[in-house]
Amino acid sequence: MSNPTPNPPVPEGRYVTLANGYRIHYLDEGSGPVVVFLHGSGNGASGYSNFKGNYPALVQAGYRVILPDLIGFGYSDKPTDVEYPLAFFVECLKQALDAIGIDKVTLIGNSLGGAVSLGFALVHPESVERLVLMAPGGVSDMPDYLAMPGMAAMFAHMATGQPFTHETMKAFFIKAFVVNPACVDDTLVAERLALMKLQNPQVMKTMKVPNLTERLGEIECPALTLWGINENMMPENGILRLAKGLKNGRLLTVPNCGHWVMIEHRELFNRTVLDFLRHG
C-alpha cells in the first residue's frame, strides 16, 4: 500500500486485516520473545510517537517488538460507524495478534494502552506472559478523571471544536503530560499534529473504559507499574488500587515525572523494563 501521506510523519510498517474486516498498522522489529507496545489516546497518538525512544532498546536486547497503532489511531483504520469501548480495542488487538501469528506476549501500555493491556489480560490470560503499565486507565471513575488538570484541559479543548495548532498542542502536552518541557520537542509535536489530521472525532467521542479495579485480582501474570508522581492525567487513587489489586505486581513511583514516564525518563524506563522482562 502507498503511504497515507506523501511524506509520512512517522515510519510506515505493515498492515494486517482483522477477522472483523478492519486493518491495523504496526511495526515489527527484532526477534525473540514478543513484546507489544500499546500507546495512549488523544490527538495524533500512535505507537511510534509514544515509544520511539524505547522499543529499539528492547530489539537490541533480543526481543521481537510489535508496535501497533490502535484502531482509530495512527495509520490504522478509523471507522466512523462504530463506538469505541474498551472491548473493541481488546478485540482488535487479539485479532491482529492472531493474524500475525503470535500467541504469547508481554504487553507494555500507557494510559489507554494500559487499560487495553489490563482488559486483554482479563479476557485472554493464556496469551499474556507479563504486563508493564504506565499510569493505565481503567482503575478510576470518570469524575476522578475529570478532576485532573490535564484531563480537564483536554476535554475543554475538545468542547471548543477548534483544531490544535503547533503552538496550542505543544502547550497542552507540556501542561498535561510532563514536568520537563524540553521533553516535548517540536518533532514530536509535528508528528502528532500530522497524524491528528488523519483522525476523526468518533474515537474520542465514544471511547468508554470501565473501572476494572474489582477484577484486578483475576490477573495472575507478573505485572510492573510505573507511575509519575507529578501525574496530571490519571487520578492517584489508581496507585494503591494497582499496588493492592495486582497480586503478582510491583509498582515504581517516579519523582519529577508526569504522564509520559517512557519519554521523560527514557533510560530509567528502558533499564527497569528490561530487568523486569529478564528477571520478573
Side-chain angles (χ1 to χ4, degrees):
M1 176 190 165
S2 61
N3 287 326
T5 53
N7 298 295
V10 297
E12 186 177 23
R14 305 178 185 185
Y15 292 83
V16 63
T17 300
L18 312 184
N20 60 20
Y22 299 118
R23 292 201 320 158
I24 290 289
H25 169 262
Y26 67 103
L27 302 180
D28 185 346
E29 297 193 18
S31 60
V34 179
V35 177
V36 179
F37 282 87
L38 300 174
H39 64 81
S41 66
N43 297 89
S46 74
Y48 179 81
S49 282
N50 260 198
F51 301 115
K52 60 185 175 181
N54 313 115
Y55 80 87
L58 272 65
V59 170
Q60 187 175 7
Y63 294 89
R64 179 184 178 187
V65 171
I66 305 294
L67 198 66
D69 295 336
L70 292 172
I71 190 78
F73 294 95
Y75 296 149
S76 292
D77 278 355
K78 305 166 190 69
T80 58
D81 58 347
V82 300
E83 295 196 344
Y84 289 79
L86 183 66
F88 183 48
F89 292 106
V90 171
E91 170 194 304
C92 290
L93 175 60
K94 181 63 165 72
Q95 291 184 9
L97 294 176
D98 287 347
I100 296 168
I102 293 169
D103 58 5
K104 290 279 189 183
V105 296
T106 290
L107 297 177
I108 301 180
N110 80 295
S111 201
L112 170 64
V116 175
S117 300
L118 290 169
F120 191 96
L122 287 167
V123 179
H124 304 289
E126 72 288 347
S127 297
V128 181
E129 295 180 314
R130 287 183 174 83
L131 290 176
V132 179
L133 310 166
M134 300 86 84
V139 290
S140 298
D141 294 317
M142 186 54 71
D144 297 325
Y145 289 117
L146 293 177
M148 298 299 293
M151 196 71 74
M154 182 177 77
F155 280 103
H157 181 84
M158 287 171 57
T160 68
Q162 297 298 312
F164 277 112
T165 65
H166 188 97
E167 292 73 22
T168 59
M169 179 176 275
K170 187 171 187 176
F172 167 69
F173 284 174
I174 290 170
K175 174 179 175 135
F177 295 143
V178 299
V179 173
N180 179 5
C183 294
V184 182
D185 60 31
D186 288 327
T187 299
L188 174 63
V189 176
E191 288 172 0
R192 298 269 303 222
L193 203 60
L195 289 171
M196 182 186 72
K197 295 174 183 175
L198 305 177
Q199 274 184 248
N200 63 63
Q202 179 74 355
V203 62
M204 296 301 293
K205 284 182 177 177
T206 65
M207 187 184 300
K208 290 185 177 65
V209 178
N211 188 338
L212 301 172
T213 300
E214 296 302 315
R215 298 194 60 194
L216 293 178
E218 299 173 34
I219 296 175
E220 302 278 353
C221 68
L224 168 67
T225 301
L226 299 100
W227 197 290
I229 289 298
N230 308 97
E231 175 70 56
N232 277 329
M233 295 293 287
M234 297 295 162
E236 63 183 29
N237 57 22
I239 296 175
L240 277 181
R241 290 173 181 177
L242 290 160
K244 292 182 176 182
L246 293 170
K247 62 181 72 173
N248 293 310
R250 52 175 160 144
L251 191 144
L252 176 67
T253 56
V254 185
N256 304 307
C257 180
H259 193 52
W260 282 347
V261 59
M262 68 286 183
I263 293 174
E264 197 159 19
H265 294 276
R266 179 180 64 195
E267 296 305 325
L268 170 67
F269 177 86
N270 293 349
R271 287 197 312 270
T272 304
V273 169
L274 281 171
D275 178 76
F276 177 68
L277 291 176
R278 289 165 175 160
H279 306 298

